[in-house]
Amino acid sequence: MDIKMFFSLGKTTRISIQPSRKSTANAGINHLDIEDNEFAEFEDFDVEDVVGGVSSEPKNGFHDNEEPSPPGPDKQTDSTDEDEATVEIEDNEFEHVDEDEYEGYEKDSTSKPDLKLNEGPKITFAQLPAHLRSNWESYYLELMILSGLVLYFFNFFLGRSKNQRIAETWYSAFKGPLLEKFALVGDDGKLENSQPGLMKESENVYLLWCSGRTGCEAVLFELRLLKRQDLVAMVMNLFRPQQDQVHVKVFMNESDMDTFVMCLATKRTANRLVREMADISVFCPEKKSTVDKFGLPANFVLMSEIGEASSTLIDARVCSLVNNIPEAIESIHFSDQYSGPKQTEDTAPSKMPEVKKMLIFNFNLPLKNGKSIVEAVEIIRPAIMLTFYCIDRVKRFRLSKEFKMKAEKNRQKVEEAFLKSTHAARAEAAAARREEKRRLEKEKILQDDDPEKQRKWEEKENKRLAKKRMPKMKAIKV
């Protein structure tokens, strides 16, 4: 006999005892085998032993209060076909369980408990890349960026230190001559300057103010070195080569310089100055060769307003210096109408710009071709000393009466042209001011409760408009 047991928590326990169909069908065949079976006595066992002493039928097949009845043919057939025993247990030990207290608990579940609830959390392993040393191809971009940053910072500190060495070498070379020419060297504009000397404007620009000399108010020495601290600028310098320069700006007194504008510069610099500088583009835009008249190198041109001033100031000493060190001279600019770079049309002023009398020298510091800093400073020493010579020459120079009148006429023409160009703008601004004034007057009259004043103002305004619409007539004397 096969025993099938179905267990369900908190539900009725049912035990079914069914005879095997195979054994019933082959009862006659296996009759002899049963006697030889050592375990035959265990085939007929009590249901109470299996269930634990609880049975719905007695062992004899009838209850105590019933009398045994003779077995009939139908009853024997039913007993041989199927015997069934059922045990019902009404006690439910999980009735007190709250459904919301436990996750995954189902009250009406008749299946076996879910074993997945007892399992631990699922572990997911991250997909880590291969080790750095065994997979360098995955870090090409990072390595390039890191190498670029290291190279940039290395170039920054190296270029900054070199620019500082150049500035300190230049200052130590010219500190003695400057102290002889000026009463104060290294003025920064403060009343008490504890550390006079070079002022660091940026990593490639150094300034030196000098004052206390007759013939000029002050002199500004400006060292404009290459941007060696900037790697991008150094790469651009390979395509557009530039040089370290020393700019000298001399602020002349009003009474120590006459009225003229002139400039001696290389061809490339002259073209740039004509485009950018206001005084040169207005007073002396024509470029003349200097080879025939002054004997200067062919790459130099002269731009002069008054021929007398250029022929007097560019004397033999200046020409000799330019011929000896042509690579160190960039431009020599004298002007009594210096106003800086030209202003665009969008930012054009409504009045004449303020002008100054200035001498401007641009010198190159030749550090190329394997020259050291000390050698380059010694090369431009005569050019720096030339500035003091030119200050004295300009202070003593005076134009003749004829050229003086010519210079005055040139300045008057420039002023008239400027006023004419700005006349439309000034007229429009004046008309706007008059219209605003009449509007305010009208609002004031309308706010007044006196109708007589309003009537008089309207009559006055009508007369003005009628007069404005009348055609203009000129009176002719006979």
Side-chain angles (χ1 to χ4, degrees):
M1 298 177 63
D2 296 338
I3 301 175
K4 298 182 179 179
M5 303 176 66
F6 301 89
F7 296 92
S8 177
L9 296 177
K11 292 299 180 177
T12 301
T13 304
R14 181 180 299 271
I15 300 176
S16 300
I17 303 175
Q18 297 178 358
S20 175
R21 298 179 180 178
K22 183 177 181 181
S23 61
T24 305
N26 301 327
I29 301 174
N30 298 329
H31 178 71
L32 296 177
D33 297 337
I34 294 175
E35 295 180 355
D36 297 334
N37 189 357
E38 298 177 355
F39 300 95
E41 61 179 349
F42 295 99
E43 291 180 357
D44 297 330
F45 60 92
D46 296 336
V47 178
E48 290 83 359
D49 296 336
V50 178
V51 182
V54 180
S55 177
S56 60
E57 294 181 4
K59 183 176 181 181
N60 298 329
F62 54 89
H63 296 278
D64 296 335
N65 55 359
E66 292 181 2
E67 296 181 0
S69 59
D74 297 336
K75 193 172 183 180
Q76 289 180 349
T77 305
D78 295 337
S79 61
T80 57
D81 292 339
E82 180 178 0
D83 292 336
E84 180 176 352
T86 303
V87 179
E88 294 183 0
I89 300 174
E90 301 298 335
D91 187 11
N92 188 0
E93 58 180 334
F94 295 97
E95 290 180 353
H96 65 281
V97 176
D98 188 5
E99 299 179 3
D100 299 332
E101 185 177 357
Y102 297 92
E103 294 182 1
Y105 174 77
E106 295 181 1
K107 184 176 180 181
D108 298 333
S109 175
T110 57
S111 61
K112 295 183 179 180
D114 192 2
L115 297 179
K116 295 183 178 180
L117 298 176
N118 299 327
E119 295 181 358
K122 186 178 181 180
I123 300 175
T124 303
F125 295 95
Q127 298 295 331
L128 298 177
H131 198 272
L132 176 63
R133 290 173 295 181
S134 61
N135 193 14
W136 290 98
E137 293 80 1
S138 302
Y139 298 91
Y140 279 155
L141 181 60
E142 289 79 0
L143 291 175
M144 291 175 62
I145 295 175
L146 184 61
S147 302
L149 291 176
V150 172
L151 182 60
Y152 183 86
F153 284 106
F154 178 77
N155 178 79
F156 175 81
F157 292 109
L158 185 65
R160 183 180 65 175
S161 60
K162 185 173 182 180
N163 284 343
Q164 189 172 0
R165 289 199 309 271
I166 294 173
E168 291 176 354
T169 304
W170 183 90
Y171 178 67
S172 61
F174 292 101
K175 183 178 180 180
L178 292 177
L179 290 174
E180 295 177 359
K181 301 292 183 180
F182 298 95
L184 183 59
V185 177
D187 185 15
D188 57 355
K190 298 181 181 179
L191 295 177
E192 295 181 0
N193 188 6
S194 59
Q195 295 180 353
L198 281 173
M199 292 187 300
K200 185 178 180 180
E201 185 75 9
S202 64
E203 300 296 340
N204 64 303
V205 178
Y206 293 83
L207 304 178
L208 179 65
W209 282 94
C210 301
S211 60
R213 176 184 170 87
T214 59
C216 64
E217 295 179 357
V219 178
L220 173 62
F221 294 90
E222 184 177 359
L223 275 70
R224 295 186 180 180
L225 308 178
L226 296 177
K227 295 182 179 180
R228 293 181 173 87
Q229 78 283 357
D230 190 354
L231 183 60
V232 179
M234 294 304 296
V235 173
M236 294 297 297
N237 190 39
L238 299 176
F239 301 95
R240 299 180 61 181
Q242 297 180 357
Q243 294 186 9
D244 300 289
Q245 292 185 344
V246 180
H247 295 187
V248 183
K249 295 182 179 180
V250 182
F251 298 85
M252 300 293 293
N253 296 323
E254 291 294 331
S255 58
D256 293 335
M257 184 176 180
D258 214 335
T259 55
F260 64 91
V261 178
M262 60 164 289
C263 181
L264 175 67
T266 60
K267 292 183 178 180
R268 186 181 66 178
T269 305
N271 295 331
R272 179 177 59 83
L273 293 176
V274 170
R275 293 193 308 267
E276 297 179 358
M277 306 308 294
D279 55 343
I280 296 178
S281 62
V282 172
F283 292 98
C284 48
E286 297 181 1
K287 296 182 286 292
K288 301 178 182 179
S289 177
T290 58
V291 178
D292 300 334
K293 187 175 182 179
F294 300 99
L296 297 176
N299 62 329
F300 281 85
V301 294
L302 176 65
M303 297 171 288
S304 177
E305 177 192 7
I306 305 298
E308 183 182 8
S310 58
S311 59
T312 303
L313 296 177
I314 302 178
D315 54 6
R317 184 174 179 177
V318 177
C319 293
S320 175
L321 178 65
V322 174
N323 288 324
N324 291 334
I325 48 173
E327 70 278 3
I329 306 299
E330 185 72 17
S331 65
I332 300 175
H333 180 195
F334 303 159
S335 175
D336 70 317
Q337 298 290 314
Y338 181 79
S339 60
K342 290 193 300 184
Q343 297 182 354
T344 59
E345 296 180 357
D346 298 336
T347 60
S350 59
K351 62 179 181 178
M352 289 288 293
E354 184 180 357
V355 296
K356 299 177 181 179
K357 294 183 177 182
M358 296 186 64
L359 310 181
I360 304 173
F361 303 85
N362 293 340
F363 303 130
N364 296 325
L365 194 61
L367 289 173
K368 297 181 179 181
N369 300 327
K371 296 180 181 179
S372 63
I373 300 176
V374 178
E375 293 175 353
V377 170
E378 290 299 325
I379 290 175
I380 66 169
R381 180 181 291 273
I384 298 297
M385 304 307 295
L386 179 66
T387 58
F388 308 122
Y389 173 77
C390 291
I391 291 174
D392 298 334
R393 289 283 294 172
V394 171
K395 179 184 176 182
R396 295 192 301 265
F397 174 73
R398 289 294 180 270
L399 290 173
S400 61
K401 186 177 180 179
E402 179 183 358
F403 289 104
K404 182 72 174 180
M405 292 178 61
K406 182 180 179 180
E408 294 294 341
K409 288 182 180 180
N410 291 339
R411 280 144 185 77
Q412 187 176 1
K413 290 180 180 179
V414 171
E415 185 176 359
E416 291 176 356
F418 178 81
L419 294 176
K420 185 178 180 180
S421 62
T422 59
H423 175 73
R426 288 185 291 108
E428 185 178 355
R433 289 194 298 270
R434 289 194 298 268
E435 188 66 25
E436 182 68 16
K437 184 178 180 180
R438 284 193 293 268
R439 187 183 64 80
L440 295 176
E441 184 179 359
K442 182 179 180 180
E443 290 180 356
K444 184 178 179 180
I445 294 296
L446 293 177
Q447 291 176 359
D448 196 352
D449 296 336
D450 191 356
E452 186 65 23
K453 288 184 178 181
Q454 296 179 3
R455 185 184 60 81
K456 289 182 179 180
W457 185 85
E458 290 179 357
E459 290 179 356
K460 182 181 177 181
E461 187 68 14
N462 293 332
K463 288 180 180 180
R464 187 185 66 82
L465 295 176
K467 185 178 179 181
K468 186 177 180 180
R469 288 192 294 266
M470 288 178 61
K472 295 181 180 181
M473 300 179 64
K474 294 182 180 181
I476 301 175
K477 293 183 180 180
V478 179

